Amino acid sequence: MPTKRKLSSTRNVDEPTATRRRTRSTVASSPLPSPSRNPDVIHASPSTIRSPAPSRPPESAAFSTPTRKSSDKRLTRSQSKVSAVVHSKPPSRVLPDELEDDDRSEDEPVLRKVTAKKRPGIVSSKVSQLPRVYVEIVSPAPRTPKHLTAKAIASPASPTPNRPRVARKLSPSPPLSRASPTKAITTKRTRPSRPLVQQPALHAGQSNPPHSPSRYPPSCLHAQKRAILHALHYPKTAVFDKVDENGEPSANAVALEQLKALLTGTLERGEGNSCLLIGPRGSGKSHLLDEALASLSSQPIVIRLSGHVQHNDRLALREIARQLSKQTGRSFDMEMGPNVDDEFEHAVDASDPAIPLPPSSYLPTLISALPTLARSTVLVLESFDLFAIHGRQGLLYCLLDTVQSCRVGKDNRGIAVVGVTTRVDTINLLEKRVKSRFSGRMLRTAGPGTLDDWISIARNTLTVKPSPRNEEWEVWWAGAVEKFLSDSSVQAALSDIYSLTKDVRLLGRVLMGVVLNLSPAAPLPNALQLKAAVNSQRYPAPFPFLADLPYPAACLLIASVHAGTAGHESVTFEMLHDSFQKQVQTSQSAPVQVDGGSIGMVRCHKEVLMTAFEQLIAAKVFVCVTPVPAGTTKEFVRYKCVVEKEDVRRMVSAIGQTTLNQWYKRAQ
Amino acid sequence: MMASYLEQLDCLTRDISDSFPGNDALISQLVTLITTCPPTFTYLHDPHTPRATASLVNALTSSLSAIDAKSFAPDDDAVPIIASAQVNAIVSFSHRLFYDTTFNRLAKWRPRWEDGCENWPGGTAGGVRYNDSLDGFLHGLRALQVQLCGAKTEVKSPRKGRGKTRAQDVAKVVKMVLVVDRVERLKESLPGLLVPLTRLAELSRVDIQTIFISQSPWEDIKPPLGAAVDPFHLLVHPPSQEDTLRILTSHFPTDGDLAAAPHAYHPALAQLYAQYANALYSICSPFTRDPHELAYVAAAQWPNFIAPVLEAQKGLSEFHVISEDVRLRLLRVFLPSFTAALEALVPRRMHARAWCRMPDLSEGPSVDEKNVEAVIRSLPTLQKYILLSAFLASSNPPRTDVRMFARSHDTRSKRRRGGGTRRTPQRSASSSAKVSQRLAGPTPFPLDRMNAILATLLEEHDLETRVIGTEFTQPGEYSEMELMRVHTSSAVAELAAAHLLLRVSPPDRLDGPPMYKCGISFDVALALGRDMRVPILDLIWETG
């Protein structure tokens, strides 16, 4: 039920303002006894309002502050214009309505709870004994100025238990988003808006959690960061496994089942199997494989090869033998002995008596012996496509031939070859004789299918439970994360990444950038941090140092822009220096002086300029266009400036020197 | 226990932040990353001070790995054993060097002379070697992980299992950190290692983190075809003014003896040094903000700066406080010399010691052009003429030679006659303005062409200084003969050896005349022309 209401509330946000104005505000008077008296009731409904602690200062203190008075006055004024309809409703309806209120963004103008204290004529002051009352405000009330509400909320006083929700709804925004400790005090009086994340039930003792971040020791935040970083390091593929909206299982779930079945066939029935695991980067191929291997009933011999490490077949064969020796404890050179025709292998053999390696001429025989080992063998070939460019694809041919000719029998334990790759056309890379021995099974993995999946990955990662459990903290943190994720700019940023790439690892890096910047002083994630993290992780600016360049380097860049305007695609240092010197002469020729100093451009020694130029070359701002002919001195080598004109413009305005700015503008 | 470990980390963070000012955010991020669950591959891009950052990371990882995990509760898995290795890609230029350095540092293994300078794992491991190939390296990492787990904890495994999982279950978590410094060089020296290093954790299946530190952005180093994993990017921001000043003043030794005789780094001068550094920064910071360069300039200039003060203190028993007035006067006097010091020292036209010995600081060093001029002045006359003609040959287009140097008048008039109207070539919109030859650099010329110009120059300007034999009757005959002499060719070879002429064609090429370029600059050529009374400007085709 609450989820339904949540959906409707999010729809409300999207409605045009005209419809939104017709809102309803509630006169809150809890029909429930105060929590100290009846804790079970609160416990039973997790998202009911947490009443403030009895130890709070009396409400009168709050009302004595001038800000409070003014907001009260304003409220009264607005109320005088509206026709208020008082409903009496069963308490069960309270929760959804308030959820709706909480979910509204700050922009919504007229959401406000009117309390018994403020409307003495309508509701009696003995609110705790009355049923809950709703007031429907038909015409829009003027919007509360932000600073007023903030001040009112920040006032240290709080209502007494008898008037539990006097000031709660003065803030139009869900108070859990408050980043600063003072503002976060208000969250004490609210329950967290809980539309999506499942929260643990609140106990009576926690019905008033101290929601100020300063209440939690830094170790809480540290533990949370640890947990999040751990979750990012070992991502769960669970979110991929659920069914999609059509009721069909996701691609990864299908692939996992198929892979399990295939490996089980090898393990239990001694089959020879081969398959390819194809999917884009970050779609969970390796994790899926690990999961499948871990789920097997008995442990096979797992041999892992990677196309990035084993560049040729001999290295690969040697590595197979080495891993086999390690996992079976048997050496594989007994039949042939140290071979003499291969010096490299021989040298390794001589130096490595602990792990005897078979000579290379024996190694093809080794592969055909794989199914006859004591346990089944699983060969994992990471970057399978790179194995296809090995000479004559010998290793693949041997492996797949062995797999194909693996007959179920007494002495056959089965062998499985699993290729993992991102290339979709890998099968076309195989030679005909290799391809015909490959079973053709291709399991596909895919990234998260919908944006909701994507966001829920972020949510699950951020709300992972820290290892020393602290439920108060978890509730508070979950609320903070929820607020963070429901921010429209955060949603836009996440959907931007999603539309560009579905690589979950990129999302992980962005979240890591956000989490790393959390500190005990500012423990809440916010949209700005996310934006900064996205900028630095998704495509880091190629020249982040432009705004910090010293004067000579900036001059060189401007001079290169001038050269570009004059039609020279490539420049020599002499050209830039000449341009700079002419500009210095021009600007210093004006006899204008301010405070006894010339306002023209500062001279710069040619060698200093040259040093700056060399630094720019090292930073790849200037790149060589043609191969340097012999006997060319460094001043006359032709370079091209790869910084865009627009970036130079930004640099000039960031440096903020008038003379540079004028010089740059002349290039337009 | 957790708290105390955190406190220890806080303490460590503060210590390192003090010694590397301005990097607080980076240090705390790195500490958090290394001690918790780091991304397997981090890329630290520092376009400004990569060396300082490398030493920062080195100090950080080594002090993190120095924390004794055994002093904490054995079941507290929040306290990892950290093994770190920092490898400089310039030093470790071969595979074997790279592997051995990594292993020795991760295992804190020091090769000793007595043991035959063996690398890890030493002779005790039964002669196993892990440095033969990348496969061996990965096996070595696994073995090292087992060794680190086993060596540091005495807890016995309650369960039977295979090596790696057992080690992780019972022992504290071992986290390895491999830092590679100057990765841009790794791309040139060991390109095959780049991709495996980015995927090291995945390939070796141990908990190892790779951190690359580089001055170039990742885009420049990234292997093609998406072979490498994308890194977690960290960007180091340039030090602010306060940070730079703190770095500069931190170079002043603070532990000196106050009672010592006055010397340039007497502790009583620390305050003056701070003001000096401030003034230096304000003068030099527009030109360079690299703390290393500024510290270099400061160190070179300080002995001269403080010399008057020390002179005044000579003979006094104790150090007198320097008055504000003296400070201001000192700074005012020395302000111009800061710029000169910057211009000489930052491009390293002089080293700091030579700068200290300079008699007059405000004048600056003798510039390079003057050095070149002095060398050229000492050349024999013929070589000077060769240089001038080479300069003219490099500057002028060959088609203009007749017009510039031809002696007979009828050639010119013939050319003019009957030519019709002279057409200037139409410049299309896309074509660019012509770059002056002086800026585009000297063009190569065949030796024959230079000889022809040389003959003209000799005939025009040098003839009257010579005693010409009676056998020369034709005009120009003497100069022709001069060119044919062996010593002209040897002078050309000599100048080429001194790089005043630049040979363009390969020395072993036989067909055609050898090609040269002029190696002296425009200004030097002008000065030389003035010396030789040759009007260079009149002989250059382009006067712009």
Side-chain angles (χ1 to χ4, degrees):
Chain A
M1 191 58 186
T3 31
K4 264 191 180 174
R5 296 296 305 196
K6 186 265 303 177
L7 284 176
S8 72
S9 76
T10 44
R11 238 178 275 127
N12 272 353
V13 174
D14 296 329
E15 279 170 14
T17 328
T19 33
R20 256 191 277 153
R21 294 216 163 165
R22 209 168 23 82
T23 52
R24 197 171 36 193
S25 110
T26 54
V27 171
S29 63
S30 169
L32 306 171
S34 91
S36 54
R37 270 178 279 160
N38 192 352
D40 292 336
V41 180
I42 301 280
H43 185 73
S45 58
S47 23
T48 22
I49 311 99
R50 260 174 269 117
S51 304
S55 61
R56 292 277 165 70
E59 184 192 356
S60 54
F63 280 63
S64 67
T65 61
T67 50
R68 186 52 187 252
K69 271 181 193 162
S70 64
S71 69
D72 276 350
K73 258 186 221 162
R74 207 200 44 67
L75 272 175
T76 323
R77 253 201 320 275
S78 72
Q79 281 154 14
S80 66
K81 291 176 194 160
V82 303
S83 63
V85 187
V86 181
H87 303 282
S88 172
K89 284 195 181 178
S92 60
R93 294 293 305 278
V94 173
L95 165 67
D97 280 332
E98 286 185 0
L99 262 180
E100 191 172 319
D101 285 350
D102 268 359
D103 288 338
R104 283 173 202 265
S105 70
E106 280 194 358
D107 301 335
E108 299 206 41
V110 290
L111 277 185
R112 178 171 310 109
K113 292 252 166 70
V114 187
T115 61
K117 172 77 180 175
K118 289 176 239 159
R119 313 202 49 195
I122 297 173
V123 184
S124 120
S125 60
K126 296 181 178 179
V127 280
S128 63
Q129 284 139 30
L130 284 178
R132 187 164 296 222
V133 174
Y134 287 80
V135 179
E136 192 165 305
I137 300 173
V138 179
S139 76
R143 182 177 177 175
T144 313
K146 267 187 186 173
H147 65 278
L148 274 185
T149 47
K151 277 187 187 169
I153 285 160
S155 68
S158 66
T160 60
N162 279 346
R163 301 185 190 94
R165 285 153 49 205
V166 168
R168 271 189 50 224
K169 284 296 164 183
L170 277 176
S171 160
S173 68
L176 280 179
S177 65
R178 300 294 176 194
S180 75
T182 45
K183 287 180 180 177
I185 290 171
T186 54
T187 59
K188 291 174 188 174
R189 275 164 269 149
T190 55
R191 52 175 173 61
S193 62
R194 278 295 326 109
L196 293 170
V197 181
Q198 188 164 8
Q199 269 193 359
L202 295 176
H203 300 299
Q206 293 170 347
S207 59
N208 178 25
H211 274 158
S212 149
S214 57
R215 284 293 297 268
Y216 300 106
S219 63
C220 274
L221 180 67
H222 187 263
Q224 184 70 47
K225 279 164 86 171
R226 260 177 61 98
I228 294 174
L229 291 173
H230 188 269
L232 288 170
H233 200 248
Y234 304 102
K236 297 271 181 295
T237 51
V239 72
F240 297 85
D241 299 344
K242 65 173 192 180
V243 294
D244 61 10
E245 65 267 18
N246 301 330
E248 291 172 5
S250 69
N252 284 23
V254 174
L256 181 62
E257 283 312 310
Q258 287 176 339
L259 189 60
K260 274 183 188 170
L262 187 135
L263 293 176
T264 315
T266 297
L267 249 71
E268 293 177 356
R269 299 188 289 275
E271 298 169 0
N273 279 321
S274 57
C275 74
L276 268 182
L277 201 53
I278 300 181
R281 306 175 79 196
S283 62
K285 299 181 293 294
S286 305
H287 282 286
L288 199 136
L289 185 63
D290 287 345
E291 213 169 306
L293 283 174
S295 71
L296 296 177
S297 53
S298 62
Q299 214 33 257
I301 300 170
V302 183
I303 296 171
R304 292 174 186 273
L305 301 177
S306 169
H308 293 299
V309 182
Q310 283 83 31
H311 297 292
N312 55 45
D313 285 352
R314 270 191 42 220
L315 279 175
L317 290 166
R318 205 167 67 111
E319 182 61 18
I320 291 174
R322 198 164 179 175
Q323 292 192 15
L324 272 180
S325 310
K326 216 164 182 143
Q327 294 190 34
T328 60
R330 234 177 83 190
S331 65
F332 286 85
D333 62 341
M334 284 171 284
E335 296 166 36
M336 301 289 285
N339 204 327
V340 285
D341 63 352
D342 193 330
E343 291 170 9
F344 183 62
E345 291 292 339
H346 185 68
V348 170
D349 274 351
S351 68
D352 208 354
I355 305 175
L357 289 175
S360 57
S361 59
Y362 174 59
L363 286 167
T365 332
L366 175 78
I367 290 199
S368 57
L370 283 178
T372 63
L373 294 171
R375 285 182 286 159
S376 310
T377 315
V378 177
L379 268 126
V380 179
L381 305 179
E382 300 264 357
S383 307
F384 185 81
D385 47 332
L386 295 180
F387 284 99
I389 55 175
H390 290 183
R392 294 188 292 149
Q393 303 185 344
L395 175 79
L396 293 183
Y397 178 79
C398 282
L399 277 176
L400 294 174
D401 192 47
T402 313
V403 165
Q404 200 190 32
S405 59
C406 177
R407 297 270 178 270
V408 179
K410 203 176 156 192
D411 294 334
N412 241 347
R413 301 289 173 184
I415 175 170
V417 174
V418 183
V420 182
T421 182
T422 53
R423 267 187 85 158
V424 284
D425 63 340
T426 309
I427 191 85
N428 299 335
L429 297 173
L430 300 179
E431 287 175 17
K432 188 182 168 195
R433 60 193 183 108
V434 181
K435 202 192 285 182
S436 67
R437 280 162 177 77
F438 175 57
S439 69
R441 276 195 212 95
M442 288 189 272
L443 315 179
R444 299 192 183 275
T445 61
T450 62
L451 183 59
D452 285 345
D453 285 348
W454 184 257
I455 293 180
S456 62
I457 292 174
R459 177 176 299 115
N460 291 346
T461 311
L462 287 177
T463 54
V464 69
K465 306 275 183 285
S467 68
R469 298 295 293 270
N470 181 344
E471 292 194 7
E472 271 185 39
W473 162 270
E474 280 169 26
V475 170
W476 181 77
W477 176 257
V481 168
E482 198 47 52
K483 176 60 193 162
F484 168 65
L485 287 177
S486 56
D487 190 333
S488 60
S489 58
V490 171
Q491 297 247 346
L494 290 179
S495 104
D496 270 359
I497 309 176
Y498 178 75
S499 11
L500 283 172
T501 167
K502 295 185 180 178
D503 190 346
V504 180
R505 287 178 298 190
L506 175 61
L507 179 65
R509 290 201 305 274
V510 168
L511 292 179
M512 191 179 285
V514 173
V515 169
L516 270 185
N517 281 323
L518 301 182
S519 64
L524 292 176
N526 60 44
L528 282 179
Q529 287 170 342
L530 183 82
K531 197 175 168 220
V534 168
N535 284 342
S536 64
Q537 302 300 327
R538 194 173 69 195
Y539 182 70
F543 306 111
F545 47 82
L546 282 186
D548 302 308
L549 281 180
Y551 171 76
C555 287
L556 286 171
L557 278 178
I558 298 175
S560 78
V561 170
H562 275 276
T565 316
H568 306 308
E569 284 183 358
S570 60
V571 290
T572 63
F573 172 73
E574 283 293 328
M575 289 164 68
L576 299 181
H577 179 244
D578 185 64
S579 168
F580 169 70
Q581 274 207 319
K582 277 183 184 152
Q583 176 59 26
V584 169
Q585 278 169 8
T586 320
S587 79
Q588 285 189 341
S589 60
V592 183
Q593 289 204 334
V594 172
D595 292 338
S598 165
I599 55 164
M601 280 180 57
V602 184
R603 287 184 187 283
C604 186
H605 195 270
K606 191 175 178 182
E607 292 289 327
V608 177
L609 264 186
M610 190 71 198
T611 315
F613 189 61
E614 281 168 350
Q615 280 165 357
L616 288 179
I617 292 169
K620 303 274 169 67
V621 171
F622 284 100
V623 288
C624 221
V625 278
T626 47
V628 184
T632 309
T633 46
K634 57 183 179 179
E635 295 94 343
F636 298 114
V637 181
R638 291 203 162 258
Y639 289 97
K640 188 167 178 281
C641 178
V642 292
V643 175
E644 297 292 327
K645 211 169 161 184
E646 182 61 21
D647 289 336
V648 178
R649 190 190 60 75
R650 266 191 233 115
M651 176 197 77
V652 171
S653 58
I655 290 175
Q657 281 189 24
T658 323
T659 47
L660 288 186
N661 209 358
Q662 282 171 347
W663 186 25
Y664 175 77
K665 275 183 183 162
R666 282 184 38 218
Q668 303 296 324
Chain B
M1 270 310 156
M2 175 83 183
S4 67
Y5 182 62
L6 279 184
E7 282 165 15
Q8 204 162 343
L9 287 186
D10 277 348
C11 198
L12 188 147
T13 311
R14 242 174 288 126
D15 284 351
I16 296 184
S17 301
D18 283 346
S19 33
F20 296 94
N23 290 308
D24 302 356
L26 175 74
I27 292 170
S28 71
Q29 283 182 352
L30 279 176
V31 168
T32 314
L33 278 184
I34 294 174
T35 53
T36 56
C37 282
T40 54
F41 175 34
T42 309
Y43 192 82
L44 196 55
H45 178 205
D46 186 353
H48 305 277
T49 52
R51 277 167 61 204
T53 306
S55 55
L56 182 152
V57 175
N58 194 12
L60 185 70
T61 51
S62 51
S63 49
L64 275 178
S65 61
I67 293 180
D68 187 9
K70 267 195 283 187
S71 59
F72 299 94
D75 57 336
D76 187 2
D77 65 339
V79 187
I81 298 172
I82 291 168
S84 70
Q86 183 146 357
V87 183
N88 189 322
I90 300 178
V91 178
S92 305
F93 53 85
S94 77
H95 286 269
R96 201 163 276 201
L97 274 174
F98 190 92
Y99 301 148
D100 278 334
T101 318
T102 309
F103 282 137
N104 287 344
R105 297 203 174 143
L106 280 178
K108 297 201 173 95
W109 174 278
R110 187 178 285 273
R112 284 186 307 178
W113 182 257
E114 299 87 55
D115 304 340
C117 295
E118 269 185 318
N119 289 313
W120 185 86
T124 53
V128 185
R129 264 178 31 191
Y130 293 117
N131 61 0
D132 53 353
S133 67
L134 191 54
D135 289 324
F137 180 62
L138 300 176
H139 280 288
L141 285 178
R142 282 171 217 139
L144 182 62
Q145 162 129 352
V146 174
Q147 179 192 319
L148 287 173
C149 288
K152 298 221 171 180
T153 53
E154 287 82 29
V155 190
K156 287 288 171 204
S157 165
R159 289 188 351 212
K160 289 283 173 196
R162 286 192 297 123
K164 194 175 47 141
T165 52
R166 184 184 61 211
Q168 279 185 346
D169 283 342
V170 295
K172 288 193 183 297
V173 186
V174 172
K175 289 184 187 298
M176 299 194 215
V177 186
L178 172 60
V179 185
V180 185
D181 183 12
R182 300 276 188 137
V183 182
E184 59 268 24
R185 297 291 286 266
L186 195 68
K187 191 187 173 190
E188 294 154 17
S189 56
L190 303 170
L193 209 52
L194 211 51
V195 178
L197 280 182
T198 65
R199 297 172 172 265
L200 202 53
E202 183 188 323
L203 293 173
S204 65
R205 308 190 76 75
V206 299
D207 192 353
I208 188 165
Q209 174 194 11
T210 315
I211 300 179
F212 280 1
I213 303 176
S214 174
Q215 194 174 6
S216 325
W218 170 240
E219 290 296 314
D220 284 347
I221 296 172
K222 191 163 83 172
L225 298 176
V229 181
D230 281 333
F232 178 69
H233 295 277
L234 281 176
L235 177 67
V236 185
H237 297 286
S240 63
Q241 178 175 358
E242 296 85 47
D243 301 328
T244 314
L245 287 176
R246 272 172 71 190
I247 294 171
L248 286 182
T249 46
S250 71
H251 290 302
F252 195 86
T254 50
D255 50 352
D257 184 10
L258 264 176
H263 60 98
Y265 291 97
H266 194 276
L269 296 172
Q271 202 189 352
L272 181 62
Y273 189 84
Q275 285 186 340
Y276 161 79
N278 210 339
L280 184 86
Y281 182 85
S282 64
I283 295 281
C284 298
S285 66
F287 299 99
T288 175
R289 289 185 206 130
D290 185 358
H292 274 115
E293 293 292 339
L294 290 174
Y296 188 78
V297 177
Q301 182 79 327
W302 174 251
N304 287 319
F305 180 82
I306 206 65
V309 178
L310 293 180
E311 190 69 27
Q313 302 278 349
K314 201 176 272 182
L316 298 176
S317 58
E318 62 178 11
F319 222 99
H320 280 246
V321 181
I322 302 151
S323 68
E324 192 63 27
D325 179 43
V326 172
R327 277 180 199 162
L328 289 179
R329 266 167 48 212
L330 259 181
L331 286 174
R332 204 178 309 127
V333 167
F334 272 88
L335 275 187
S337 70
F338 286 163
T339 318
L342 175 98
E343 285 173 357
L345 293 170
V346 169
R348 294 291 189 277
R349 290 154 58 209
M350 261 181 130
H351 56 84
R353 190 173 291 276
W355 177 259
C356 279
R357 287 196 295 257
M358 285 267 300
D360 187 6
L361 293 176
S362 57
E363 189 185 74
S366 56
V367 287
D368 291 346
E369 282 83 30
K370 284 183 185 161
N371 292 342
V372 174
E373 275 181 43
V375 169
I376 289 175
R377 281 217 183 84
S378 63
L379 291 177
T381 314
L382 178 68
Q383 293 191 5
K384 289 182 185 173
Y385 276 110
I386 292 176
L387 278 183
L388 281 183
S389 52
F391 176 74
L392 291 174
S394 264
S395 305
N396 290 349
R399 62 183 164 80
T400 61
D401 282 350
V402 177
R403 231 181 263 186
M404 301 302 289
F405 301 107
R407 304 296 306 272
S408 93
H409 295 285
D410 52 338
T411 50
R412 189 178 285 180
S413 56
K414 258 181 206 167
R415 275 173 157 258
R416 288 274 168 86
R417 199 175 301 146
T421 54
R422 191 172 173 176
R423 278 181 299 176
T424 53
Q426 288 288 321
R427 270 172 48 189
S428 64
S430 63
S431 78
S432 56
K434 178 98 173 65
V435 186
S436 154
Q437 196 61 52
R438 182 165 64 83
L439 304 178
T443 49
F445 53 84
L447 186 64
D448 296 350
R449 183 171 161 232
M450 190 201 77
N451 277 343
I453 297 176
L454 176 63
T456 324
L457 287 186
L458 287 177
E459 189 69 22
E460 291 263 340
H461 303 281
D462 197 45
L463 204 57
E464 56 267 26
T465 63
R466 297 175 187 273
V467 182
I468 301 172
T470 49
E471 65 271 27
F472 299 108
T473 53
Q474 297 288 323
E477 199 179 354
Y478 176 75
S479 301
E480 289 276 328
M481 197 211 68
E482 274 291 301
L483 290 182
M484 293 302 120
R485 286 184 194 274
V486 172
H487 87 259
T488 313
S489 303
S490 74
V492 170
E494 216 170 281
L495 288 173
H499 273 241
L500 293 171
L501 281 183
L502 304 169
R503 184 163 181 143
V504 178
S505 58
D508 52 350
R509 211 177 84 180
L510 290 179
D511 55 332
M515 302 287 281
Y516 287 94
K517 264 184 188 178
C518 172
I520 58 174
S521 69
F522 183 75
D523 298 330
V524 174
L526 277 192
L528 186 60
R530 242 176 281 126
D531 274 6
M532 306 294 293
R533 299 175 192 284
V534 179
I536 287 288
L537 283 177
D538 294 347
L539 295 174
I540 294 182
W541 179 249
E542 281 176 353
T543 48

